[in-house]
Amino acid sequence: MTEIYINGKLYKVSLPEDTPLLWVIREHIGLTGTKFGCGKGICGACTVLLEEEPIRSCITPLKAVKGRRIITIEGIPADHPVKRAWVELNVPQCGYCQPGQIVEAYALLKKNPRASREEIVRTMSSHLCRCGTYPRILRAILRAQGMMGVKT
Amino acid sequence: MIDRRDFIKLTGLSLALVLTEGGFKIIKAVQEEIINPVLWANITRDNHLVLLVNKSEMGQGVWTGLAMLVADELDFPWERVRVRSAPAGPQYIDRKLGMQLTGGSTSVRNMYDFLRQLGATMREMLINYASEEWKVPKEKLKAQGGYVFGNGKKASYGELWEGAVKLPIPHKVKLKDSSEFIYIGKNIPRIDAREKVDGSAIFGIDVRLKDVVYAVVERPPAFGCKLKGFDPSRAKQVEGVIDVFAISTGVAVCGKDFYSAQKGRESLKVEWTESPIKDFNDQKLARYYLNALNRAGAVARHDGNPEDVISKAKVKVESVYLLPYLYHATMEPMSCVADVRKDKCVVYAPIQSQTWALKTVSRITGLDEKDIEIYTTYLGGGFGRKANVEFVREAVEISKKLGRPVKLIYTREDDVKSGWYRPMNATKFVGALDEKGRVVAIHHKIAVPAVFEWAGMFSKIDRAAVEGIENMPYSVPNLHVEFVKIDLPIPVWFWRSVGSSHNAFTLETFIDRLAKAGGRDPVELRLELLSKNPRARRVVEVCAEKSGWGKGSHRGRAMGLAYHFSFGSHVAQCAEVSLDKKTGKIRVRKVVCVIDLGPTVVHPDLVVSQMESAIVMGLSASLKERVSFSEGGPQSLNFDTYPLLTMEETPQIEVHIVKGQGPMGGVGEPGLPPIAPAVANALLWGYGIEVNQLPMTPDYIKTLI
């Protein structure tokens, strides 16, 4: 039995400890907002927070998060400025990469609410979006900063 | 976990008053002239409009655009509109395409009249019923904002709908005048945004059935290989592995979850027959395609006497291009859930082509189409790839063999190995100018696989191979267009903008080379060539104006412009580009895009989104993408070797919509073709570089400096 906290809830799973966290979350816990994209930690679709740090859950084995706190897309409040800005600007197209993008943006603003445009672009460039929503993602993060009352 | 009934509830069918679970099965296909609203839409008692849309939402915003048409005519509050995916079935065929398919940038164009008619019919039905119930003449009743009222009475559409559907369906109802539109032409919220932001949107890979078995398929390392044999013994010993067996495309490994199936696969030993193209690598492919240009092909167009004019011309320009295989790289790899039983089959999949899926499933299971239910989930990207239903076939084969519900998941590597690429191609252009620098002849020949033939639609001249060239809007008196078919066992398919994705690059860069050779400004030359096409001229003019074309220095950046007509829309794009000559690295700083899709623009911001999307994808392909080959198989198996454009590399994008007269054009694809040639043209004028190959990687560009 491995214990993990996901979005504040304790889960006990009985799985090989090398099982990637992504599949634990998706198939065994049943939260499918976190996506599978590349399996190599490149595209960012599987991004979740470990404590406050964004990690790639597709290359993170279960044993590495034993007893620790994970936040997924479902665990970010619906009224959080990042999520609100995303909806207001019609950011998602196919939507598949967006949970990972949102988790990354949420973590960035939590750590550094005043992140500059350059920092935002640098951080978000670790995520791939085939629909090309990058211009809107950038605008949404800037807008979220505005909602949070942050002057950049 | 959800079972099938829950899924149907989630997709809204159980909310329907007439359509209950399986109910659509007993309703006969809709008559040509009569709209049967209950097949397409229902209003719940608590006043929600539930639409069954026959087009797949893959990011292009089609559910928003189509729902707007119904809600506008019905006069219904937008926040109470719900869209669900129509199941696969003859009643949901797009009559203009002759099948249930999302492709060719046709959805809004093809469904526009029908869905407005649907909304208007429903509104009329509600008024008719209220009039009968309340004994109030129709003229005294109004239907607005989800309520019918008049003569002191008021009821929601939802309260009236159950009665309204029992009355005869009115024919030929009056549609709104465009001045009365409440949504059409306005930027209202995307209907799928919230679900896609909170993580609840259900994609193919997210469908969860009880007792489902997870499957992966080990595929051949090269194209054209057949299964020779395999040893499942070690794989079967892996904990969680349920079964290992051969299917038509490889060896399926089934497990209790994805990870055990995947681990089982790693312990699997498979032997394949030799690939008929085992000696094909990038160099060999290049030679093969270029050599094919020496073969005689099928002539798609021949005006005047181009050979003669070219042989006598003083100024001749010749270019040979070689463009790569491209991978769709949908962020959601192929994935399908199938449950094959003796007497029925249920499939959930992210597909663009429900009709083809239905036929395929029927063929594999031997079941009648009426015993097959196919539900389309959200698509995590499509770009044409998910119109190919081989992955559905695989899931159905596996479920049939196991006798259990199966979820097939492609890894990224499986996705690349499965093929179905945008075809590689070689093109030769020869052009001739007169003494004034006017284009008097163009001779074109392309060697390319036949995409439509791969899709089962054979023709002597493949429609994709010459699209955008054969029907070019430029007036050239002597013109030759020729197609040499490439036959290799590398599967090719529709990739966003299809033939235009390569033909716009070759034609538009060639036009600039002609301009340069004739000492002409490329915009001015285009306008001359487009003298008979005012809509095309206009987008080129507006693009030149908005980008400041010819207005001197642009912060030291080079500028290039390209124009292309595809899928009914005219698009011009101007790229501001800088090149680091030391590294060969290109930066595209800004793109100005102008589109004319006709007089009606249903949702301007969705058009802007699609232009942004197509520019980013087109730029990604032209700067970075190529499926690399070795020993007859793909080597670029994941994003480390098949990189996509990132936010850092994305230019500022400015989109302008011009409303020309004529039929409505498409939006999903036409924004892609012009970007690659616009960038290459900037390199020609700014740096004297002729780009004959894509992608424009730093290594390649350095060889040209």
Side-chain angles (χ1 to χ4, degrees):
Chain A
M1 276 300 177
T2 310
E3 294 190 348
I4 40 170
Y5 293 87
I6 296 180
N7 301 330
K9 231 174 121 181
L10 173 66
Y11 292 89
K12 293 177 187 177
V13 289
S14 169
L15 288 167
E17 289 206 318
D18 61 346
T19 307
L21 176 62
L22 170 67
W23 301 106
V24 178
I25 293 171
R26 287 181 53 82
E27 292 177 354
H28 300 279
I29 310 281
L31 294 171
T32 55
T34 307
K35 301 303 187 204
F36 167 64
C38 67
K40 283 179 134 182
I42 306 169
C43 74
C46 68
T47 303
V48 297
L49 298 183
L50 171 58
E51 312 301 342
E52 300 209 331
E53 228 19 74
I55 57 161
R56 303 287 158 107
S57 65
C58 73
I59 49 167
T60 305
L62 179 59
K63 61 173 172 280
V65 297
K66 227 191 266 183
R68 301 180 71 185
R69 269 168 243 281
I70 303 292
I71 304 279
T72 69
I73 183 68
E74 292 89 349
I76 298 174
D79 61 353
H80 188 276
V82 167
K83 281 191 170 174
R84 273 161 51 210
W86 238 259
V87 172
E88 280 179 19
L89 290 173
N90 279 339
V91 173
Q93 289 190 25
C94 90
Y96 195 78
C97 74
Q98 301 298 342
Q101 306 263 12
I102 291 167
V103 168
E104 187 79 53
Y106 169 83
L108 172 66
L109 295 190
K110 193 153 194 193
K111 214 183 296 173
N112 183 7
R114 287 167 198 280
S116 68
R117 193 187 177 96
E118 290 67 36
E119 285 170 273
I120 296 169
V121 169
R122 203 182 317 124
T123 303
M124 298 312 294
S125 289
S126 63
H127 286 252
L128 298 178
C129 169
R130 188 48 149 176
C131 299
T133 62
Y134 302 133
R136 283 173 196 244
I137 290 175
L138 176 57
R139 274 167 55 206
I141 297 173
L142 296 171
R143 178 171 295 193
Q145 286 181 317
M147 289 175 185
M148 292 159 79
V150 177
K151 286 213 172 68
T152 50
Chain B
M1 293 282 171
I2 54 171
D3 63 16
R4 199 173 63 86
R5 180 179 288 272
D6 290 333
F7 187 83
I8 288 169
K9 193 152 70 192
L10 284 175
T11 62
L13 295 185
S14 72
L15 297 173
L17 293 168
V18 178
L19 276 180
T20 52
E21 184 182 347
F24 42 83
K25 285 282 150 58
I26 52 167
I27 295 167
K28 295 273 183 293
V30 62
Q31 299 291 308
E32 191 78 58
E33 308 77 24
I34 304 167
I35 294 175
N36 187 349
V38 298
L39 274 177
W40 298 88
N42 283 285
I43 304 168
T44 61
R45 257 179 243 256
D46 64 351
N47 217 24
H48 283 89
L49 170 66
V50 181
L51 292 173
L52 289 181
V53 168
N54 63 346
K55 297 291 178 179
S56 307
E57 178 55 72
M58 47 189 167
Q60 80 281 43
V62 72
W63 281 10
T64 303
L66 295 183
M68 285 168 77
L69 304 173
V70 183
D72 198 316
E73 290 288 349
L74 179 62
D75 213 308
F76 198 79
W78 183 243
E79 64 280 4
R80 303 189 75 82
V81 180
R82 303 286 178 268
V83 174
R84 311 296 175 216
S85 185
Q91 61 272 43
Y92 295 111
I93 277 175
D94 169 348
R95 294 187 179 282
K96 291 186 179 166
L97 285 178
M99 56 183 149
Q100 204 175 342
L101 173 92
T102 309
S105 302
T106 55
S107 297
V108 175
R109 289 191 273 166
N110 287 2
M111 301 306 295
Y112 185 77
D113 292 332
F114 175 83
L115 290 176
R116 283 184 61 197
Q117 198 76 34
L118 171 66
T121 303
M122 292 173 75
R123 187 157 173 260
E124 185 84 1
M125 287 163 73
L126 290 159
I127 291 178
N128 286 348
Y129 178 68
S131 167
E132 259 195 46
E133 273 295 289
W134 300 342
K135 311 271 183 286
V136 176
K138 277 171 69 177
E139 303 73 52
K140 295 204 167 154
L141 293 175
K142 235 181 146 177
Q144 205 175 40
Y147 288 86
V148 180
F149 49 91
N151 239 16
K153 303 244 187 207
K154 184 178 180 187
S156 75
Y157 289 179
E159 292 168 278
L160 300 167
W161 183 244
E162 199 169 349
V165 295
K166 288 177 183 146
L167 297 183
I169 298 164
H171 296 182
K172 301 232 159 76
V173 295
K174 195 177 158 287
L175 296 181
K176 280 183 177 177
D177 180 79
S178 60
S179 63
E180 301 168 276
F181 287 157
I182 52 173
Y183 302 130
I184 297 172
K186 296 188 173 66
N187 293 331
I188 60 173
R190 270 188 84 117
I191 206 156
D192 52 349
R194 198 163 290 280
E195 277 179 276
K196 288 178 175 179
V197 164
D198 67 21
S200 65
I202 300 293
F203 296 86
I205 199 170
D206 300 329
V207 174
R208 308 184 73 241
L209 295 187
K210 274 181 191 146
D211 307 318
V212 78
V213 172
Y214 290 79
V216 293
V217 174
E218 175 67 4
R219 293 153 206 286
F223 292 108
C225 301
K226 299 263 176 297
L227 185 64
K228 214 159 135 186
F230 65 102
D231 175 5
S233 53
R234 277 187 55 218
K236 279 186 173 171
Q237 285 164 14
V238 172
E239 198 196 317
V241 169
I242 292 167
D243 206 348
V244 180
F245 49 84
I247 61 164
S248 60
T249 50
V251 180
V253 182
C254 308
K256 69 174 177 49
D257 52 21
F258 171 80
Y259 191 59
S260 33
Q262 181 67 357
K263 274 213 315 213
R265 190 223 302 233
E266 283 160 16
S267 306
L268 183 67
K269 280 211 182 90
V270 185
E271 254 192 288
W272 306 95
T273 62
E274 199 168 77
S275 164
I277 53 165
K278 72 168 180 6
D279 56 337
F280 275 67
N281 55 20
D282 295 334
Q283 292 71 31
K284 175 82 189 265
L285 275 170
R287 281 199 304 277
Y288 185 87
Y289 272 83
L290 290 170
N291 283 341
L293 287 173
N294 299 322
R295 276 162 36 198
V299 177
R301 184 166 167 186
H302 192 87
D303 298 354
N305 194 347
E307 290 85 356
D308 200 38
V309 174
I310 287 167
S311 71
K312 290 178 186 146
K314 283 228 176 68
V315 183
K316 269 186 275 188
V317 179
E318 188 177 313
S319 293
V320 176
Y321 298 91
L322 189 65
L323 307 183
Y325 286 109
L326 294 175
Y327 164 56
H328 296 77
T330 59
M331 291 310 297
E332 175 194 34
M334 302 310 118
S335 173
C336 177
V337 170
D339 186 4
V340 182
R341 304 285 168 92
K342 216 162 70 192
D343 53 351
K344 70 181 295 184
C345 173
V346 184
V347 169
Y348 306 92
I351 46 168
Q352 290 176 244
S353 53
Q354 290 75 14
T355 300
W356 291 343
L358 202 50
K359 295 204 178 313
T360 301
V361 176
S362 173
R363 204 179 61 236
I364 301 299
T365 57
L367 291 168
D368 200 282
E369 286 184 18
K370 72 170 174 32
D371 298 319
I372 297 164
E373 295 173 23
I374 299 178
Y375 301 104
T376 305
T377 61
Y378 277 124
L379 280 63
F383 316 114
R385 175 64 181 85
K386 289 171 182 167
N388 184 295
V389 293
E390 189 179 64
F391 66 103
V392 175
R393 185 181 88 198
E394 291 172 343
V396 168
E397 281 183 33
I398 298 167
S399 173
K400 188 182 170 193
K401 175 99 191 231
L402 272 181
R404 293 176 64 174
V406 162
K407 185 199 279 201
L408 168 69
I409 296 175
Y410 277 34
T411 62
R412 184 58 59 188
E413 292 78 6
D414 292 332
D415 210 58
V416 177
K417 280 187 183 175
S418 67
W420 308 111
Y421 309 129
R422 195 291 300 268
M424 187 172 175
N425 52 96
T427 293
K428 183 176 179 180
F429 265 114
V430 187
L433 302 172
D434 68 10
E435 66 288 346
K436 287 187 173 147
R438 287 180 297 215
V439 182
V440 288
I442 287 181
H443 190 282
H444 162 274
K445 193 191 232 184
I446 183 168
V448 63
V451 166
F452 276 91
E453 195 176 323
W454 277 91
M457 291 171 273
F458 172 81
S459 61
K460 196 166 160 253
I461 295 160
D462 192 70
R463 280 160 57 201
V466 291
E467 72 181 328
I469 307 268
E470 164 198 45
N471 57 331
M472 68 170 81
Y474 298 132
S475 301
V476 179
N478 301 284
L479 176 64
H480 178 88
V481 181
E482 190 175 333
F483 161 57
V484 177
K485 194 173 94 178
I486 295 281
D487 272 312
L488 285 173
I490 301 170
V492 294
W493 197 250
F494 308 100
W495 187 98
R496 197 177 193 172
S497 82
V498 197
S500 286
S501 72
H502 47 82
N503 289 340
F505 180 78
T506 58
L507 176 62
E508 286 300 290
T509 53
F510 191 66
I511 293 289
D512 273 43
R513 292 174 195 185
L514 289 169
K516 203 172 180 207
R520 306 279 301 270
D521 174 84
V523 170
E524 184 237 334
L525 178 67
R526 274 190 183 76
L527 294 175
E528 180 180 284
L529 288 166
L530 293 170
S531 59
K532 290 179 189 150
N533 197 325
R535 282 180 74 184
R537 278 182 65 99
R538 179 103 196 279
V539 298
V540 172
E541 280 168 351
V542 174
C543 188
E545 184 207 317
K546 299 286 183 191
S547 60
W549 183 267
K551 297 263 166 66
S553 142
H554 288 264
R555 300 164 287 272
R557 300 168 192 174
M559 286 179 83
L561 185 142
Y563 155 82
H564 194 69
F565 174 77
S566 60
F567 306 93
S569 293
H570 299 266
V571 180
Q573 288 167 6
C574 180
E576 277 183 36
V577 178
S578 58
L579 167 67
D580 181 336
K581 286 188 180 171
K582 259 189 260 155
T583 59
K585 198 168 161 48
I586 295 166
R587 283 232 51 163
V588 180
R589 305 283 175 169
K590 184 177 174 186
V591 175
V592 173
C593 171
V594 180
I595 176 168
D596 174 357
L597 62 144
T600 308
V601 179
V602 172
H603 191 303
D605 190 51
L606 283 179
V607 176
V608 173
S609 296
Q610 282 310 290
M611 293 304 107
E612 290 169 351
S613 173
I615 288 166
V616 171
M617 185 165 171
L619 205 52
S620 182
S622 55
L623 296 181
K624 304 176 85 166
E625 297 176 27
R626 170 175 81 153
V627 179
S628 188
F629 278 77
S630 170
E631 295 176 9
Q635 297 306 296
S636 337
L637 295 176
N638 208 321
F639 296 125
D640 44 1
T641 45
Y642 195 93
L644 304 184
L645 203 78
T646 64
M647 186 186 282
E648 264 170 336
E649 299 162 305
T650 300
Q652 181 196 341
I653 298 170
E654 187 182 300
V655 179
H656 301 275
I657 299 171
V658 163
K659 292 185 180 180
Q661 287 313 304
M664 189 188 289
V667 172
E669 292 163 281
L672 193 140
I675 187 61
V679 172
N681 286 341
L683 295 178
L684 176 72
W685 295 98
Y687 303 94
I689 289 172
E690 288 195 2
V691 176
N692 293 317
Q693 290 176 37
L694 292 176
M696 294 177 256
T697 57
D699 283 347
Y700 170 57
I701 294 297
K702 266 199 285 188
T703 67
L704 305 175
I705 296 170

